[in-house]
Amino acid sequence: MPHKIISLISVGRHPQSGRARRSDQDGRAVELGLKLSGSQLEVVHAGDSEEPVLRQYAGMGLAEITILEQDQSMDAVASLSTYLASRDADIVLTGVRSESGESSGMVPYILAEALGWPLVARVADIVEIKDGTAEVLLALPRGQRRAATVKLPFIATIDSAAQEARQSAYGPGLRANMVAQSGANELDELRANWSEAPAKPRPKRLKMVKAKTAADRFKAATAKPAGGSGKVMKNESTEEKAQAIFDLLIEEKVIR
């Protein structure tokens, strides 16, 4: 009997343009799901069934996508946990975090707690599923991998080190069937009181000289500035010195 695998998808956001797109990590989760179960893969989204980005996922070779219809102000976790509990799935695949909305990465953890399943974080690949267990490869820093064995069922968050999602085909994406169901109407009270604004660029840090010995610190303090634009202030007033420091901080964008 084939194992039942479900991939959860969300609406992504391009990091430069801000346009809606297929989320990179969610696309990798769908790619891994297709590798494991082929056409039997079930893909689920909680949100608007008319969202055009969902067609980009469908263009990966999906016959249909299940949409738990709900407003953006509603809590997606409530809909997803209720749906997953009724599907008797073996593995649920998600991205590490979404690219829009709260982007906290907490959804897989809350789902795992609600279902009573273990969660395996930052999976690079699922090598084999056999005898009620799955052999997975975890993504570690600097390209390293760690093998682990996990009992079914479980939730896996797919890392950016996993296989890249295949190119989406426009025609098959349009022909895919969007199966809409009613989602849970549970208001996300925390998010309702939030306000969103564009992120501000971080202040530029001043270059600090790291010296291990007193001799190195003295050498760095007395060395001539490499750019030649430095200024030594000895006889100026306190106000003039303070103004010079203030102008430097503004120039280096430490303060605005």
Side-chain angles (χ1 to χ4, degrees):
M1 181 178 179
H3 297 90
K4 186 164 190 60
I5 299 176
I6 298 178
S7 291
L8 306 182
I9 60 174
S10 62
V11 179
R13 178 178 296 172
H14 194 277
Q16 274 75 43
S17 66
R19 294 181 179 179
R21 66 162 188 174
R22 176 182 66 178
S23 176
D24 178 70
Q25 292 179 343
D26 289 350
R28 294 173 191 265
V30 174
E31 183 67 34
L32 180 56
L34 290 171
K35 168 194 168 184
L36 296 173
S37 60
S39 60
Q40 301 301 316
L41 174 67
E42 184 175 352
V43 178
V44 180
H45 170 71
D48 184 8
S49 60
E50 300 298 326
E51 173 57 56
V53 172
L54 301 181
R55 297 289 178 180
Q56 297 180 16
Y57 291 101
M60 296 175 65
L62 305 176
E64 68 177 31
I65 295 178
T66 301
I67 296 100
L68 307 178
E69 190 79 37
Q70 64 176 42
D71 188 75
Q72 187 177 4
S73 60
M74 300 299 170
D75 187 2
V77 175
S79 297
L80 292 173
S81 59
T82 302
Y83 180 82
L84 294 175
S86 66
R87 296 302 294 167
D88 194 25
D90 294 305
I91 302 176
V92 175
L93 306 174
T94 76
V96 174
R97 63 174 57 84
S98 63
E99 296 178 349
S100 59
E102 299 172 23
S103 300
S104 65
M106 288 300 298
V107 170
Y109 292 88
I110 299 175
L111 286 176
E113 182 181 17
L115 298 173
W117 293 4
L119 182 138
V120 186
R122 296 195 172 278
V123 172
D125 194 11
I126 297 179
V127 181
E128 185 181 18
I129 304 174
K130 185 178 181 181
D131 298 331
T133 61
E135 181 182 345
V136 303
L137 286 180
L138 306 180
L140 299 179
R142 300 180 181 178
Q144 299 182 78
R145 300 290 184 268
R146 175 182 294 165
T149 301
V150 189
K151 290 185 178 181
L152 305 180
F154 66 91
I155 295 179
T157 62
I158 307 305
D159 191 83
S160 297
Q163 176 66 39
E164 185 178 359
R166 68 191 66 181
Q167 186 175 0
S168 177
Y170 182 74
L174 288 179
R175 293 191 292 270
N177 186 24
M178 298 294 169
V179 182
Q181 302 181 15
S182 297
N185 294 321
E186 184 174 329
L187 181 65
D188 190 346
E189 297 181 359
L190 292 176
R191 186 177 180 181
N193 298 323
W194 289 2
S195 59
E196 295 186 11
K200 296 181 180 179
R202 294 183 178 180
K204 182 179 179 182
R205 292 186 176 181
L206 292 175
K207 295 182 180 180
M208 303 300 293
V209 178
K210 295 182 179 180
K212 296 182 179 179
T213 65
D216 292 336
R217 289 192 293 270
F218 180 77
K219 183 178 179 181
T222 57
K224 183 179 179 181
S229 59
K231 182 180 180 181
V232 179
M233 304 182 71
K234 294 183 178 180
N235 301 321
E236 289 80 356
S237 65
T238 304
E239 290 76 10
E240 291 174 329
K241 293 177 182 178
Q243 184 63 44
I245 295 175
F246 184 74
D247 294 340
L248 174 63
L249 294 177
I250 293 179
E251 181 181 352
E252 294 292 339
K253 297 182 179 179
V254 176
I255 60 176
R256 299 178 182 276

